[in-house]
Amino acid sequence: MRGWQEVDIIIFAGDAYVDHPSFGCAVIGRVLEAEGYKVAIVPQPGWKDDLRDFKKLGRPRLFCGVTAGCMDSMVNRYTANRRLRSDDAYTPDARPDKRPDNAGVTYCRCIRQALGDVPIVMGGIEASMRRLTHYDYWQDRLRESIAIESRADLLVYGMGEKAMVEIARRLDAGEDIRTLTDIPQTVYVRGKDDFAGTAVGDIVLHTHEECLRDRRAQADNFRHIEEESNKMEASRIIQAAGDAVVVVNPPYPPMTQAEIDHTFDLPYTRMPHPKYRGKRIPAYEMIRHSVNIHRGCFGGCAFCTISAHQGKFIVSRSKESILREVKAVTEMEDFKGYISDLGGPSANMYGMGGRDKQKCRRCKRPSCVHPAICPNLAVDHSALLDVYHAVEAVPGVKRFFVGSGVRYDLLLHDNKDARMDKAAADYTRELITRHVSGRLKVAPEHTSDRVLGIMRKPPFRQFLQFKKIFDRINAEHGLRQQLIPYFISSHPGCTEEDMAELAAITRSLNFHLEQVQDFTPTPMTVSTEIYYTGYHPYTLEKVYTARTREEKLAQRMFFFWYEREQRSRIIAELRKMRRGDLIDKLYGKGTK
């Protein structure tokens, strides 16, 4: 239909194809298309048959791209108990059998078998978080870089628009993919005999084999990996594994506003591909009427991959670009006037950054808010309020909600600046009174300040302070809204007694917890490194972690102290701890 005799680039993806800026495959496809390249996308190709999906478009002129999808395929397919999930939110009708384990590696191997020596570029969250030696929870072992395992020619980590365009341009100019060793934000592998050697400023990690022998070496490696991921001017990272050398080039500088606007302003249809007509894709249903207003997160939470993938520096879209997308949402046939989420990785970080950019340039802190909010961080909600007011004025928008997580520590921060403090107070009131759809989700994650310190989360007293404000504003406006807190069990550093105290504290606050989860170690996070190695990467001190299924279940049950079937077990455990005081708090004095 398009008159193409061949395509320049074929992207094989683990998710169903949804032409929406919240789906990475669509973004990369549209960005490359805007540069003039003929791009084809093969979503969820079959890997168990004769590989017809990998052959049907022939060999691309430039390269094949590979992504496991918007999630790591192992996180997508397995629960925290290592059981297969019964559904897949990124697949039509939530079918659980449309992507393989280790999807990126599997697709690369299929391409090699079907298309021979075609150049392969791997990207996406799975590739990004597994770019160096990493712990795989589902196999319970250290694995070498996915760049080695997949035999991809290049790996792009982080948000990959700029790197992908540069790769396409260089290959289009006739360069061989093996010569593309200087592109920022890429990873390549060379044999030890072919490796050109280290340069001044390079960081050389402990080898893969040293990490296998000594878990402290793995923990020590991670500190360098995280720090370099969050610097404006990072170093090249090098790690040997067997006869191979993995080279990680420093990332690109944070995008400019014009660059991120360009990405979001491309002609997305905002719809799933017509081949899925009549089928439901749960991930799309959740975001179909949402608008993402920025990238990046400076929270640096120990268990989270957002800052490791998107970076800690906030890149905010212009108000004009946001309004263009809002207008596009209002023109969708099924739009009823309600935007489900106007947010980002953390909804209220829009427009925030360092006052003195030179200080940011020298900084290597992974978090701008832990252990305390950086004095150089301008915690100003004014620009976000301006965006909110502009969106409310768009014809067709009856109301919009904030469904993304909100950082209440930013709302409570004393800026020593009357204008910023007033903006925070105004934002808090507007958020609670106009942009909550009955329930506001926040993430204190735990009640123990010791555990929260390991998580890089604010002290629990700040949650209590925010809850008082939430309750007061609701009472003043006659609203009956709920505050829904998220909590995690079995996080490194957390003991059964910590969970018992969490149960008693949340019981006193009249919470029957719903949004809870057992800690799942995902590649390349501080928490995962502690879980595997037993050491904190920044201190190399030992940290207790619940590892066995029994230990994890023993912690998790305290979330559900109110369920009859848990009562006798909880009381028995509290008696072993000699914590009769907590039995009294949970079930009343004199409980047998």
Side-chain angles (χ1 to χ4, degrees):
M1 289 173 67
R2 303 192 70 168
W4 294 355
Q5 299 305 308
E6 65 174 352
V7 292
D8 298 322
I9 299 157
I10 304 174
I11 299 174
F12 296 92
D15 296 336
Y17 184 73
V18 180
D19 191 22
H20 188 287
S22 290
F23 291 79
C25 181
V27 171
I28 296 300
R30 288 294 187 186
V31 166
L32 290 169
E33 178 190 49
E35 296 295 317
Y37 296 106
K38 300 182 178 76
V39 184
I41 295 172
V42 181
Q44 300 187 314
W47 73 97
K48 297 178 181 177
D49 52 22
D50 59 1
L51 306 185
R52 65 193 68 179
D53 287 343
F54 293 91
K55 300 172 183 174
K56 63 187 177 185
L57 292 170
R59 184 185 174 103
R61 186 173 68 87
L62 297 178
F63 67 90
C64 287
V66 168
T67 173
C70 290
M71 294 174 65
D72 183 284
S73 59
M74 301 303 285
V75 179
N76 180 287
R77 286 178 49 75
Y78 293 91
T79 68
N81 288 324
R82 298 188 177 99
R83 293 176 180 167
L84 272 170
R85 296 187 190 274
S86 58
D87 57 6
D88 181 340
Y90 291 88
T91 298
D93 292 337
R95 283 184 55 175
D97 59 345
K98 296 295 285 184
R99 84 178 75 223
D101 289 357
N102 305 303
V105 172
T106 301
Y107 292 158
C108 286
R109 289 176 177 169
C110 291
I111 292 168
R112 285 280 177 250
Q113 189 175 338
L115 300 175
D117 62 351
V118 64
I120 299 176
V121 180
M122 174 188 264
I125 189 80
E126 180 171 284
S128 188
M129 297 296 100
R130 295 173 181 263
R131 60 187 181 264
L132 289 158
T133 293
H134 59 280
Y135 173 67
D136 187 296
Y137 171 69
W138 299 272
Q139 293 190 350
D140 193 23
R141 68 179 180 92
L142 276 191
R143 294 174 67 166
E144 61 191 8
S145 166
I146 196 172
I148 295 175
E149 199 172 349
S150 66
R151 298 190 178 180
D153 295 288
L154 280 177
L155 182 154
V156 173
Y157 66 93
M159 307 303 275
E161 295 101 319
K162 295 173 81 168
M164 292 295 284
V165 167
E166 182 65 10
I167 291 166
R169 285 175 178 166
R170 300 265 294 266
L171 291 178
D172 198 19
E175 293 188 51
D176 186 283
I177 196 161
R178 284 187 61 82
T179 67
L180 306 187
T181 59
D182 60 337
I183 297 177
Q185 219 159 304
T186 61
V187 180
Y188 63 92
V189 179
R190 292 291 180 269
K192 283 187 176 178
D193 294 338
D194 297 328
F195 176 54
T198 59
V200 175
D202 286 349
I203 292 175
V204 180
L205 301 179
H206 299 289
T207 68
H208 178 69
E209 289 71 28
E210 287 172 335
C211 294
L212 289 173
R213 289 193 298 269
D214 182 2
R215 297 191 180 203
R216 283 171 64 101
Q218 173 66 13
D220 187 46
N221 274 358
F222 181 79
R223 177 172 184 170
H224 297 294
I225 296 168
E226 185 180 49
E227 286 181 344
E228 297 309 307
S229 296
N230 286 295
K231 285 166 65 175
M232 280 191 177
E233 296 175 356
S235 298
R236 192 170 72 153
I237 295 177
I238 295 166
Q239 184 184 35
D243 294 329
V245 178
V246 180
V247 181
V248 180
N249 286 327
Y252 277 99
M255 282 179 130
T256 64
Q257 187 169 86
E259 287 171 336
I260 194 171
D261 281 358
H262 170 68
T263 287
F264 278 89
D265 289 347
L266 294 169
Y268 305 96
T269 65
R270 302 187 64 85
M271 300 289 290
H273 192 275
K275 72 184 251 179
Y276 306 127
R277 188 171 286 114
K279 296 180 179 180
R280 178 176 172 270
I281 301 173
Y284 170 68
E285 296 296 321
M286 189 172 72
I287 56 87
R288 66 193 304 165
H289 298 141
S290 70
V291 176
N292 190 350
I293 61 177
H294 74 267
R295 282 186 187 167
C297 178
F298 50 69
C301 297
F303 48 82
C304 183
T305 60
I306 292 172
S307 61
H309 186 65
Q310 295 193 11
K312 74 175 182 181
F313 298 103
I314 304 302
V315 182
S316 302
R317 298 170 63 185
S318 69
K319 180 170 68 173
E320 292 72 25
S321 175
I322 294 168
L323 293 177
R324 284 192 290 271
E325 186 173 356
V326 169
K327 185 174 184 298
V329 173
T330 65
E331 293 170 353
M332 295 175 69
E333 288 184 7
D334 61 345
F335 183 68
K336 307 296 183 186
Y338 300 94
I339 293 175
S340 59
D341 184 20
L342 192 74
S346 288
N348 58 323
M349 290 184 181
Y350 177 88
M352 294 185 187
R355 294 179 172 89
D356 183 344
K357 301 303 180 188
Q358 290 306 311
K359 289 183 178 179
C360 292
R361 198 169 295 280
R362 297 190 298 270
C363 178
K364 61 180 182 180
R365 276 178 60 173
S367 171
C368 301
V369 294
H370 183 85
I373 292 178
C374 176
N376 190 46
L377 180 66
V379 183
D380 190 353
H381 288 81
S382 301
L384 185 54
L385 281 169
D386 186 35
V387 167
Y388 280 13
H389 298 158
V391 171
E392 286 178 311
V394 173
V397 175
K398 296 177 183 176
R399 195 175 174 191
F400 73 82
F401 302 105
V402 176
S404 312
V406 173
R407 292 287 306 216
Y408 50 79
D409 50 345
L410 298 179
L411 300 177
L412 300 172
H413 181 59
D414 181 1
N415 290 282
K416 313 299 183 189
D417 181 313
R419 183 189 62 80
M420 287 189 187
D421 290 341
K422 182 179 184 304
D426 290 346
Y427 176 84
T428 303
R429 183 170 292 275
E430 287 198 24
L431 170 72
I432 294 170
T433 58
R434 290 153 65 173
H435 306 304
V436 175
S437 58
R439 313 173 101 201
L440 178 63
K441 297 175 183 176
V442 292
E445 307 296 5
H446 213 287
T447 57
S448 162
D449 284 351
R450 179 179 50 78
V451 178
L452 288 168
I454 295 172
M455 291 178 165
R456 294 183 184 152
K457 296 291 289 187
F460 190 67
R461 67 177 180 275
Q462 291 197 14
F463 170 75
L464 297 177
Q465 188 179 349
F466 179 72
K467 183 179 183 301
K468 283 184 181 178
I469 294 170
F470 180 84
D471 292 341
R472 173 176 56 79
I473 291 175
N474 273 290
E476 289 172 357
H477 290 263
L479 299 170
R480 300 183 65 183
Q481 300 181 132
Q482 289 180 291
L483 194 62
I484 306 297
Y486 282 72
F487 289 98
I488 296 176
S489 61
S490 303
H491 188 276
C494 178
T495 65
E496 271 189 68
E497 192 164 356
D498 292 324
M499 290 302 299
E501 291 179 346
L502 182 152
I505 291 169
T506 54
R507 162 81 167 80
S508 71
L509 295 170
N510 294 317
F511 284 127
H512 278 211
L513 300 181
E514 303 171 16
Q515 302 293 337
V516 298
Q517 65 181 33
D518 189 24
F519 168 66
T520 303
T522 57
M524 205 176 284
T525 68
V526 176
S527 303
T528 297
E529 299 304 321
I530 298 173
Y531 175 90
Y532 169 70
T533 67
Y535 299 96
H536 195 293
Y538 284 77
T539 64
L540 295 182
E541 294 176 354
K542 286 191 173 183
V543 179
Y544 164 78
T545 304
R547 289 184 57 88
T548 68
R549 185 170 182 272
E550 291 71 27
E551 287 174 327
K552 288 171 169 284
L553 290 174
Q555 290 201 19
R556 184 178 173 81
M557 72 178 177
F558 284 101
F559 282 141
F560 308 105
W561 60 267
Y562 52 85
E563 293 181 354
R564 182 175 296 178
E565 56 268 30
Q566 301 291 355
R567 178 175 169 135
S568 60
R569 285 187 61 204
I570 288 174
I571 290 174
E573 286 299 312
L574 290 175
R575 291 207 185 285
K576 285 182 190 175
M577 295 178 201
R578 302 192 177 189
R579 293 300 304 267
D581 59 315
L582 295 181
I583 297 174
D584 293 344
K585 288 177 180 178
L586 287 173
Y587 301 111
K589 290 190 176 182
T591 298
K592 299 289 185 181

